Amino acid sequence: MNPVIGTFEEERSDDYPGSLYVSEGRVPMVETLSEFGDEAFQVYQEVGVVGIRQAFNPGEVLDVLQALQDIVARHSLPDGVQLQYEHRAKDLLPTLSPEERLDAVRKFMLFVHLDERLERMVYHPALMPILTTILGEPPMMFQDMALLKPPGIGREKPWHQDNAYFKVPKSAKVVGIWAALDEATEENGCMFFRPGGHHAGPLPHFNRRDWQICDTDIMGKHAVSAPLPPGGCVIFNGLTPHGTPSNRTTTRRRALQFHYKGESVPETTDQERLDTFGHEGVGAVC
């Protein structure tokens, strides 16, 4: 059996109020990337998120899943590539074959350059014009992740703003793409958003179950969910609050997430990020 590569997430509480993930509606959707026109752009501006039911075709989804499987089965990974397993998989992992290990992974980071099948999704020709319209200039992908939330043990990602993790100017536009590789449901950990929440600007974050917005700032507020079929995606503002509940089902909920900024946007300092979102975020990563 191949040696196990990667690290384990630190042990964290997965006990949270159920009222954090109560949907009062759905994210506004269009059918395909080609249908993201002026109307969808206005919705994005107002709501902070738009869904695409069929952004990527079944062949593209299968290619990406196979690429992820090939990476996790490797004997080693290049420097800088991060592979993290769920803490609760620590005792289980040594018993799994390379083919089974994908069901123990929490996330990959900084890995898409390892496989052209992944790069094709990051720079999908139907996606680039949308990002250029939103950002007002050509996009630059600066963060890539696979978020796998394994069956039964996939931990919650508490409510947060993605910009709280990034060294970008306070006024910078950041766009996230979250693409479902399996059916994503409210039960297995689909995305929940606070519509229009990006208009409030940066919110204080605290180190509780994760680097997150306080639960009391979310509970009782209007939230919408984004159930998606495989190949569906959401396009969202880096300041739109969102979170995902635990996956306590027997179904997989694998997804890719990429973040883009305009090619002219500079990198700032970690101190500027902490001054904006809170000083408990030292060392915080998505």
Side-chain angles (χ1 to χ4, degrees), residues 24 39 75 77 118 125 129 151 211 228 239 249 274 283 285:
E24 298 178 1
E39 184 176 343
H75 290 276
L77 291 174
L118 297 165
W211 174 232
L228 290 168
L239 287 174
T249 75
L274 298 175
V285 294

Side-chain angles (χ1 to χ4, degrees), residues 37-76:
D38 292 343
E39 184 176 343
F41 176 69
Q42 289 304 315
V43 172
Y44 175 88
Q45 297 285 70
E46 294 169 12
V47 181
V49 57
V50 172
I52 315 290
R53 286 191 182 87
Q54 291 296 334
F56 308 106
N57 66 47
E60 291 168 328
V61 171
L62 287 175
D63 280 349
V64 164
L65 284 170
Q66 187 58 58
L68 294 177
Q69 183 68 69
D70 292 346
I71 292 170
V72 80
R74 289 185 176 203
H75 290 276
S76 63

Side-chain angles (χ1 to χ4, degrees), residues 120-246:
R120 283 199 296 268
M121 187 170 283
V122 171
Y123 302 108
H124 197 283
L127 182 59
M128 293 297 101
I130 296 172
L131 296 172
T132 300
T133 296
I134 293 173
L135 295 170
E137 62 177 318
M140 181 180 75
M141 191 276 287
F142 69 97
Q143 190 205 50
D144 55 284
M145 305 177 71
L147 304 167
L148 304 191
K149 207 177 283 283
I153 61 172
R155 189 177 66 81
E156 173 212 20
K157 179 65 178 180
W159 285 84
H160 63 284
Q161 295 170 306
D162 283 351
N163 281 18
Y165 292 91
F166 303 145
K167 293 186 287 186
V168 296
K170 190 174 179 179
S171 61
K173 294 179 182 178
V174 172
V175 180
I177 304 293
W178 191 98
L181 303 177
D182 303 295
E183 183 180 10
T185 68
E186 291 187 1
E187 293 73 30
N188 73 6
C190 76
M191 295 274 268
F192 283 70
F193 291 90
R194 174 102 170 83
H198 59 303
H199 295 301
L203 300 175
H205 284 56
F206 303 90
N207 191 6
R208 299 295 186 263
R209 295 185 305 283
D210 206 319
W211 174 232
Q212 64 177 92
I213 300 168
C214 270
D215 294 343
T216 53
D217 291 337
I218 295 296
M219 287 188 292
K221 303 287 180 64
H222 180 55
V224 294
S225 61
L228 290 168
C233 80
V234 284
I235 302 174
F236 62 99
N237 188 299
L239 287 174
T240 305
H242 60 281
T244 61
S246 300

